[in-house]
Amino acid sequence: MLNSGLLSLDKVKLSARDEKNPLSQTMPDKPTELRHFAKLCEQRRKFPILYKLEFQTAVKVETNSCKHALRKANALKNQNPKCIPYDYNRVVLDKYDNTPDSDYINASYVDSLLKPNAYIVTQGPTEDTVLDFWRMVWQENCSCIVMLTKTFDFTKVMCVQYWPPNKEKEEIYGDMHITIQSEEELANFHIRTFRLFKLNKDNVVSEERFLLQFHYTEWHSHTCPFSNAILEFRRRVRAVVGTIIKANSRIGPMLVHCNDGGGRSGVYLAIDANMELAEEEDSFHVFGYLKKLRQSRKGLIENVDQYKFVYDTLEEFIICGNSWFPVKELSQRLKEKSLKDPLTKMNSYQREYAQICKQTPRFTIGDCAGGHRGDNREKNRDVLCVPPDNFRPYLSSFQGNSFTDYINAVFVDGYTKPREYIVTEWPLQKTCGEFWSLVYDHECAAVVVLCQPPHNSQQYPAFWPEGRHSKKYGPVFTIDHISHQHYSNIKSWIFRINKKVISLTELMAGVKAPPRTVQLFQLTCWPMGHKVPTSTNSLVELMNMVERWRQKTDYGPVCVVSPDGRSRAGVYCAANACIEQVIQHGEVDVFQAVKTVRRHRPQLVDNMTEYKYCYDLVLHYVLHYLNKDLKEKK
C-alpha cells in the first residue's frame, strides 16, 4: 500500500515526534553515518512514499514574517512571489541617497550544516535589480557566484546577463566597473573570472577585486540534471572557493542563485552542505537540512523530485567517490587497476565497469516513441537500440511527404561542449537521404566512420561518392567531391553538400539552402567483428586530424558512424573527452567519461574490452602526443 501511493497522506500522522507511528521512525532526525547511507537510500527506493513524507513534513515548518518583501515598493523587485526572503535573515543593503526601501534585495543568508551564513541565496537579477545585485556582491565580499540557470530558457527570460558580453567590453553599475578577465567553457558549465573595480575622482582605480562565477548551463527550470555532472561542478567550485577562504579569512558567503532563488538553489545547497558535513564528520543529514532550508527561505527545493535528486546525488558520491587522478600518475594507476582482488576475483577495471552498468539509465519504449512509430520502425537496424526523443537530433530538411524528422542517431556530450557528438549507425539503403539531412541540418563539421565494410556490401551500402563524380542521395541532397587525401589506415574526403529546396512554402518565401562543406574521415584498421582496432596510434592520429579540421571551421558537431550505432562510437567519444580533460586540467577520469557517453545511449561502450581500451587510448596519447600538443597550444 505504501509503495503504491494508495495510502492517503492525510490519514498518516506526519508528526516526527509521534513515536508510535512507524512511518515517523523512518525519518532520520539525526545525521546518518556514510556507511549506513546506501541502506537509507535503498529503503526509499523500495518505499518511494518516504520521500514524499519527509518532504511534506519539512515544508510544514513554521514560516516567519516577510513584511519587507511584501511592501508595495519591494514587491515589484521579486521575480516569484513564492520565493521571497524572511525578515529575520534577509540581506540588508546599505541605504543610499536616503531612498526609502533601497536597503531591500530578494536575498537571504542561509547556514550550512557547519557554518552560519555560509551562503547567500538570491534570485537572478532583473533589469530593475541588477544594480542592487552588484551592490550586494561588493558589500558582502562574496567568495564566488554560483549561477544555476540559463539567462533564457525556452521562451522565458530567467535572468538578465549581468556581466559584459565579452572580454573587450566593460559594464558600469553605479560606481562599480566590471570586466571579464578569463572564461573557461566546459560541457555543463562555464567558469568566468570577473574584475570588479572602483575609480576615485582622478579616474584612478581605488579598489579592485577578482571574483569567480561558476555558471551551470544545462539545468532547465523544474527539472533535475545528471548527478555526476553536478558533482563535477561542485568539485570545481570547492577547489577554488576552499583556496580563497584559506587565503582570506575575511571573505564573505558564497552567493548562489537560479532564476528565483528557489528550487534549484535549494538543491545545490543541500548537496554542497551535506558533502561538506561528510568531509568533516563522515555523515549526511538530508532531512534535517531540508527543514533548515525551509526555515531560512521560502521555496528552497520546490518538489519531491528535486528532494529525491539530492538523495540520489549523495548516494552516487558515496558509491563512486573521486574517480579522477593526476595525469602524472597514469602509468602507475593502470598497473594497480590490473591487480585482482583476492576476495572478489575482480580487478579495478571490472569493478568500475560493473558500477557503470548498474548506474546506467534505462529508457522505456515511451521515452523512444519516435523510433517505434510505424513509419520510422524500419529505419532502425535494431529496434532494441532506438534513441530517446529528448536526446535525438530531429531532421528539419523537407524531402517529401513520405519522409519524417527521424533518424536513428543520438547526441553525446563532449568534455568542453554539450552535444559535441552525434552517434549514428551506418545508413540503410533507404536512409542515405536522412543521413545527409542529419549532417546538413545540424551543421556537422566532420563525419567519422569507424569501420570499412566489404565493397558493394548489401548490408552496408555506400553513402558517399567513391570517385570524383557527384552523387545524389534521396530527393534533395547531392554530394560533390572536392578533394581527398589517404594515409596509412586513414582515408579522408572533403565534400560539398548541395540541398535542393522542394517545399512549396519555402519556395514561395524565397528560402535559400546554401551549400555546406564537411570532411569525412574513415578509419580502415578496425576490421568488422573486431572489438578494438589493429592500430591504436592510427585512431589517436584520426582524433587529432578531426580536431585540426574543426579548428579551421566553426566547431560544429562530429557525426560518428559505427556499423550498428553502438559499438566503437562510445570509445571514440569517451576517449576524446578524456584527452580534452588531460590537456585542459591535467586529469584523467575514464570512469566519468564513459558514464557521460552512456547517458543518452546505454548501449555505448557495452563491453569490458571497450572500457579497458579507453584507458589504453589515453595512455597512448599521453606517452606519444601530449607534450607535442601542449607546445602547439602555447
Side-chain angles (χ1 to χ4, degrees):
M1 286 287 280
L2 271 178
N3 199 29
S4 68
L6 294 174
L7 196 67
S8 170
L9 278 169
D10 296 334
K11 295 177 183 177
V12 177
K13 288 185 180 178
L14 292 177
S15 172
R17 299 179 199 134
D18 182 4
E19 293 177 8
K20 291 177 184 177
N21 182 355
L23 288 177
S24 70
Q25 293 167 19
T26 66
M27 288 189 280
D29 270 349
K30 294 177 182 176
T32 306
E33 289 183 40
L34 299 190
R35 60 198 173 100
H36 299 312
F37 190 72
K39 189 178 175 183
L40 196 76
C41 295
E42 186 59 44
Q43 183 190 44
R44 274 143 190 74
R45 270 192 296 277
K46 195 174 177 183
F47 301 110
I49 200 172
L50 294 174
Y51 291 120
K52 196 171 185 180
L53 188 65
E54 284 183 20
F55 184 77
Q56 292 197 351
T57 303
V59 300
K60 286 191 174 184
V61 295
E62 282 183 38
T63 58
N64 296 287
S65 68
C66 304
K67 289 177 183 174
H68 284 87
L70 296 173
R71 280 185 188 168
K72 195 172 181 181
N74 293 335
L76 298 172
K77 299 175 185 177
N78 302 319
Q79 276 216 51
N80 182 351
K82 292 180 182 176
C83 297
I84 54 177
Y86 294 127
D87 294 331
Y88 85 94
N89 68 332
R90 73 183 182 94
V91 177
V92 181
L93 297 177
D94 297 332
K95 281 191 179 181
Y96 70 139
D97 299 338
N98 295 316
T99 308
D101 295 310
S102 62
D103 66 349
Y104 177 78
I105 184 169
N106 186 328
S108 311
Y109 295 108
V110 180
D111 299 345
S112 72
L113 283 159
L114 295 174
K115 184 183 172 187
N117 294 354
Y119 312 102
I120 289 175
V121 177
T122 186
Q123 66 179 20
T126 64
E127 293 284 357
D128 298 327
T129 64
V130 66
L131 172 59
D132 293 337
F133 176 86
W134 281 115
R135 284 172 60 211
M136 175 175 69
V137 169
W138 187 274
Q139 176 186 304
E140 299 297 318
N141 195 16
C142 294
S143 56
C144 72
I145 298 173
V146 174
M147 177 175 177
L148 303 168
T149 181
K150 292 185 173 188
T151 51
F152 190 81
D153 201 354
F154 299 115
T155 57
K156 186 182 174 187
V157 175
M158 292 286 167
C159 162
V160 297
Q161 183 169 322
Y162 52 84
W163 63 92
N166 55 51
K167 290 182 187 177
E168 286 69 46
K169 295 278 173 68
E170 176 186 298
E171 290 195 354
I172 302 170
Y173 295 102
D175 59 350
M176 199 184 312
H177 299 246
I178 295 146
T179 59
I180 299 177
Q181 290 293 105
S182 63
E183 181 169 3
E184 182 182 3
E185 186 180 330
L186 297 167
N188 296 291
F189 56 93
H190 296 185
I191 303 172
R192 302 181 183 95
T193 303
F194 299 144
R195 177 178 175 242
L196 283 57
F197 62 96
K198 295 184 177 182
L199 303 176
N200 60 20
K201 292 173 184 176
D202 303 320
N203 254 16
V204 176
V205 175
S206 59
E207 235 182 312
E208 177 183 63
R209 293 180 195 167
F210 292 92
L211 178 73
L212 273 106
Q213 181 211 46
F214 297 86
H215 181 189
Y216 198 92
T217 52
E218 298 298 311
W219 192 348
H220 297 290
S221 188
H222 310 296
T223 65
C224 296
F226 291 100
S227 291
N228 65 333
I230 279 290
L231 289 171
E232 173 62 11
F233 177 67
R234 192 257 177 192
R235 178 171 83 87
R236 297 279 173 207
V237 174
R238 278 288 162 182
V240 174
V241 173
T243 311
I244 292 170
I245 291 170
K246 281 177 188 172
N248 184 356
S249 58
R250 294 177 63 195
I251 203 76
M254 180 191 298
L255 187 136
V256 180
H257 78 87
C258 47
N259 65 313
D260 56 7
R264 289 176 282 184
S265 297
V267 169
Y268 183 79
L269 263 60
I271 292 166
D272 185 65
N274 275 286
M275 286 178 68
E276 187 183 46
L277 183 69
E279 287 153 13
E280 292 290 323
E281 299 179 11
D282 286 329
S283 60
F284 289 143
H285 198 5
V286 183
F287 177 57
Y289 194 61
L290 174 63
K291 289 193 287 186
K292 186 188 281 273
L293 286 176
R294 282 307 187 116
Q295 285 162 351
S296 303
R297 182 177 169 88
K298 287 190 172 188
L300 291 177
I301 306 186
E302 68 179 334
N303 55 46
V304 177
D305 286 341
Q306 288 186 341
Y307 184 56
K308 179 180 178 295
F309 175 75
V310 174
Y311 265 107
D312 292 345
T313 304
L314 294 173
E315 184 184 24
E316 177 153 334
F317 171 69
I318 291 295
I319 292 168
C320 302
N322 287 326
S323 50
W324 68 276
F325 53 85
V327 69
K328 63 184 178 184
E329 297 177 12
L330 180 59
S331 297
Q332 182 59 35
R333 291 282 189 133
L334 297 198
K335 285 177 190 172
E336 292 168 5
K337 283 180 186 293
S338 300
L339 301 173
K340 282 193 175 181
D341 184 295
L343 292 174
T344 61
K345 307 293 183 192
M346 291 171 75
N347 62 27
S348 288
Y349 296 119
Q350 292 165 319
R351 284 195 299 275
E352 286 174 16
Y353 188 67
Q355 192 58 55
I356 287 169
C357 292
K358 196 176 175 183
Q359 292 184 313
T360 298
R362 296 283 174 257
F363 295 109
T364 64
I365 288 178
D367 294 328
C368 311
H372 289 290
R373 272 175 43 185
D375 46 358
N376 291 332
R377 205 166 170 82
E378 290 184 359
K379 297 175 185 176
N380 304 306
R381 287 187 173 273
D382 180 358
V383 291
L384 296 177
C385 187
V386 174
D389 291 335
N390 284 348
F391 307 117
R392 70 177 175 91
Y394 286 70
L395 306 182
S396 56
S397 290
F398 181 75
Q399 298 192 69
N401 292 328
S402 61
F403 287 79
T404 67
D405 61 14
Y406 179 78
I407 184 171
N408 189 320
V410 68
F411 286 113
V412 173
D413 290 349
Y415 183 68
T416 58
K417 290 180 176 60
R419 303 189 167 201
E420 186 163 8
Y421 306 101
I422 297 174
V423 170
T424 189
E425 59 192 16
W426 189 288
L428 299 161
Q429 197 77 53
K430 57 186 152 195
T431 61
C432 291
E434 277 96 335
F435 175 81
W436 287 109
S437 178
L438 170 71
V439 175
Y440 186 92
D441 297 345
H442 291 274
E443 300 181 31
C444 293
V447 175
V448 174
V449 181
L450 295 172
C451 55
Q452 190 178 29
H455 197 59
N456 293 327
S457 165
Q458 289 295 309
Q459 192 181 0
Y460 300 104
F463 62 91
W464 69 87
E466 303 265 328
R468 296 172 184 271
H469 299 291
S470 300
K471 192 165 180 185
K472 193 172 184 184
Y473 297 93
V476 304
F477 290 103
T478 304
I479 311 303
D480 297 340
H481 172 280
I482 296 175
S483 65
H484 69 270
Q485 263 187 308
H486 297 341
Y487 311 91
S488 173
N489 297 328
I490 300 169
K491 294 180 178 179
S492 76
W493 295 263
I494 295 178
F495 294 124
R496 182 188 300 111
I497 311 171
N498 300 298
K499 177 185 168 184
K500 182 182 176 184
V501 177
I502 61 169
S503 160
L504 186 60
T505 311
E506 289 179 350
L507 286 168
M508 289 176 70
V511 172
K512 296 281 189 284
R516 294 204 169 121
T517 304
V518 68
Q519 185 159 5
L520 186 147
F521 301 85
Q522 184 180 29
L523 187 70
T524 59
C525 63
W526 202 333
M528 303 297 281
H530 285 226
K531 286 187 177 176
V532 297
T534 55
S535 169
T536 298
N537 192 66
S538 296
L539 181 51
V540 176
E541 187 53 47
L542 170 67
M543 292 173 175
N544 277 348
M545 287 170 68
V546 172
E547 182 62 22
R548 285 195 292 270
W549 168 254
R550 291 177 77 204
Q551 284 171 3
K552 295 177 190 173
T553 59
D554 288 335
Y555 264 98
V558 176
C559 181
V560 185
V561 182
S562 83
D564 52 9
R566 56 197 290 174
S567 60
R568 310 181 181 208
V571 171
Y572 183 88
C573 298
N576 253 311
C578 289
I579 288 168
E580 282 283 344
Q581 187 172 4
V582 165
I583 293 168
Q584 286 217 21
H585 294 117
E587 299 169 354
V588 178
D589 198 345
V590 174
F591 179 81
Q592 292 297 345
V594 171
K595 276 190 77 171
T596 298
V597 302
R598 285 168 59 106
R599 274 180 198 159
H600 303 162
R601 173 155 282 182
Q603 298 89 346
L604 293 174
V605 192
D606 70 346
N607 59 71
M608 188 58 223
T609 308
E610 285 196 349
Y611 183 66
K612 167 77 168 60
Y613 188 62
C614 290
Y615 276 103
D616 296 340
L617 268 172
V618 176
L619 179 63
H620 185 93
Y621 176 82
V622 169
L623 294 177
H624 301 284
Y625 287 86
L626 180 58
N627 291 334
K628 183 179 147 192
D629 283 2
L630 288 176
K631 281 176 189 172
E632 282 179 11
K633 286 215 168 194
K634 284 176 185 175

